[in-house]
Amino acid sequence: MRLVPWAGPLGGLAADDPGRTDAAFVWLPLPDPEHHDWFEVKTEPRVVALPATHPLATRHDLDIEDLLLALPAESRALRDY
């Protein structure tokens, strides 16, 4: 088992890393979905933790547009999603 950094969103399954990885746990969407087969192992709800004093903390429901999410640029397709 090994950890692959954000720059490797395919979890080591990329063509430039042949034979090193047989299977990977990754976040969807994949940047190259037509070249890989997958199935969902787990679907997780999205949650936000805020300090009690934050203006959004009193709301029960938020839209994704209410938040500024900053994944690193190298997360590519996941960041765009």
Side-chain angles (χ1 to χ4, degrees), residues 2-81:
R2 67 186 172 113
L3 177 65
V4 178
W6 285 106
L10 290 173
L13 297 172
D16 61 352
D17 196 8
R20 188 151 179 219
T21 303
D22 295 320
F25 289 95
V26 297
W27 282 339
L28 297 175
L30 293 173
D32 216 5
E34 63 277 358
H35 292 102
H36 300 90
D37 292 323
W38 72 86
F39 62 92
E40 290 185 25
V41 175
K42 173 91 172 131
T43 301
E44 300 173 312
R46 292 195 172 115
V47 298
V48 176
L50 301 167
T53 57
H54 192 282
L56 295 176
T58 60
R59 294 177 46 190
H60 286 284
D61 294 310
L62 297 174
D63 291 321
I64 197 75
E65 292 85 14
D66 294 328
L67 306 170
L68 172 63
L69 301 176
L71 290 173
E74 51 273 3
S75 65
R76 296 182 289 247
L78 183 59
R79 180 182 173 132
D80 294 343
Y81 177 75

